[in-house]
Amino acid sequence: MYMHKIGLISVMLAVLFLSACSSVREASSSKSQHGSHGTAPSPASTDEHSGHGGEMPKASTNLKAAFTFGSTSLQANEKSELTIQITDDAGKAVTDFQENHEKLLHLIIVNHNLSSFQHIHPVYQGNGKFTVSASFDAGGDYKLIADFIPSGGTSTTLSQWVKVAGKEAEHTVLKADAKLRQEVSGKDVELSLSSLKAKEEVTLRFTIRDAQTKKEITNLQPYLGAVGHVVILSADAEQYIHVHPLEEKATGPLAKFATSFPEAGIYKLWGQFQHNGEVFTVPFVVEVK
Ligand SMILES: [Cu+2]
């Protein structure tokens, strides 16, 4: 148990540390890609922020992910087989992955203004290759974010923007929610944050009630091995923060998570929980000072 906790904490620190230090590289590589990518998805350079030295396990340096689709052009609402090939910088397949939250690889797909969010789990085919059937709910720019841990390495996030043909969703500017409480999928979900200052340790507390009766829900089911799963992205989708539960075995009504925002700005977060066999996703937008 003790060792397990230490392991969790170090993974969490690794994630926080990596996301905190990724801003410069991300800003220089991924943003320019966003503006300049062509119409067809292509295997491409990716943002990579696996580890640093210090007390972290030795990082697997300069991993790459090639994201390729079965179809030559992506169309809104059409399924396409996505292949994610993970290699080292010499092009050699990375073949060993460490399970994290019950999966070898988590794939987050968002559109440019974060109105669309998917969290799916590509299947490992061996030889560093993962596949999944992907579809996009509208046209526009989407970011694919693969989150995994190579065996013996640290938490790694590799991403790629792709363009999807078709009518785009309405362009809206992300702004902070006036009220951090909403109803979604028959649940009343309230969020509070212990701090909204950049670079501070933040505890996120979700309180989950039945939307109709307002009764607190005390029998949440584990989702990906924990009380819930939270993903946070900066408004421009450049900062990806994978958050970890503080009490994994909690069953509600409270679900607590720890994270830290690397810099001031608008962030969107998605909490995912499971109740009565159904996963529900609740988004919030917050402003960090
Ligand atoms: Cu996942």
Side-chain angles (χ1 to χ4, degrees):
M1 188 61 199
Y2 182 66
M3 284 307 291
H4 183 62
K5 273 222 170 106
I6 294 287
L8 260 183
I9 289 164
S10 63
V11 167
M12 188 175 86
L13 288 175
V15 171
L16 296 180
F17 187 42
L18 296 173
S19 50
C21 70
S22 66
S23 56
V24 177
R25 295 188 56 173
E26 284 259 76
S28 61
S29 61
S30 173
K31 249 181 202 158
S32 56
Q33 237 171 45
H34 187 192
S36 64
H37 61 68
T39 50
S42 55
S45 61
T46 48
D47 318 322
E48 198 271 325
H49 29 112
S50 66
H52 297 245
E55 289 171 61
M56 304 295 171
K58 187 79 180 130
S60 351
T61 49
N62 298 319
L63 298 185
K64 291 186 166 61
F67 298 84
T68 49
F69 285 92
S71 28
T72 49
S73 72
L74 294 173
Q75 295 287 334
N77 297 307
E78 275 181 20
K79 282 188 178 165
S80 184
E81 182 82 353
L82 167 63
T83 300
I84 305 170
Q85 175 69 56
I86 311 292
T87 61
D88 63 18
D89 55 356
K92 191 166 165 283
V94 173
T95 54
D96 288 311
F97 298 88
Q98 189 182 317
E99 203 168 270
N100 180 33
H101 295 283
E102 297 189 338
K103 303 289 177 184
L104 294 180
L105 185 141
H106 301 261
L107 179 69
I108 304 297
I109 303 178
V110 291
N111 67 344
H112 62 95
N113 66 357
L114 306 183
S115 60
S116 167
F117 173 85
Q118 297 180 60
H119 174 183
I120 56 179
H121 300 107
V123 176
Y124 189 47
Q125 309 292 357
N127 223 12
K129 187 199 277 187
F130 292 84
T131 58
V132 69
S133 174
S135 68
F136 305 89
D137 47 17
D141 294 320
Y142 285 77
K143 194 171 197 184
L144 313 172
I145 303 163
D147 181 340
F148 61 94
I149 305 176
S151 293
T154 56
S155 190
T156 301
T157 307
L158 299 172
S159 60
Q160 173 68 48
W161 285 97
V162 294
K163 190 146 198 112
V164 177
K167 193 175 182 307
E168 287 198 28
E170 199 186 332
H171 278 240
T172 48
V173 177
L174 208 57
K175 60 179 205 294
D177 292 338
K179 185 175 81 151
L180 296 180
R181 183 168 184 171
Q182 60 175 298
E183 289 185 11
V184 65
S185 307
K187 308 290 189 282
D188 168 338
V189 183
E190 193 174 2
L191 170 68
S192 70
L193 296 95
S194 63
S195 162
L196 274 171
K197 281 203 194 115
K199 299 180 176 73
E200 270 187 11
E201 196 146 301
V202 181
T203 303
L204 289 80
R205 293 162 58 100
F206 292 85
T207 305
I208 298 158
R209 300 178 179 89
D210 184 280
Q212 293 224 303
T213 65
K214 301 294 173 194
K215 265 199 185 141
E216 294 184 333
I217 290 176
T218 55
N219 59 343
L220 288 175
Q221 295 158 326
Y223 173 58
L224 298 171
V227 61
H229 203 82
V230 178
V231 169
I232 306 179
L233 283 170
S234 57
D236 59 6
E238 301 304 332
Q239 304 277 348
Y240 171 84
I241 309 171
H242 206 139
V243 189
H244 289 264
L246 284 174
E247 290 160 14
E248 288 209 314
K249 303 269 181 273
T251 57
L254 254 186
K256 293 190 281 185
F257 301 83
T259 194
S260 172
F261 296 97
E263 57 192 55
I266 303 282
Y267 291 81
K268 186 160 185 175
L269 63 94
W270 296 263
Q272 297 188 285
F273 306 94
Q274 184 165 226
H275 188 236
N276 292 338
E278 270 176 41
V279 174
F280 58 98
T281 302
V282 53
F284 287 103
V285 181
V286 298
E287 181 168 12
V288 172
K289 304 286 183 192

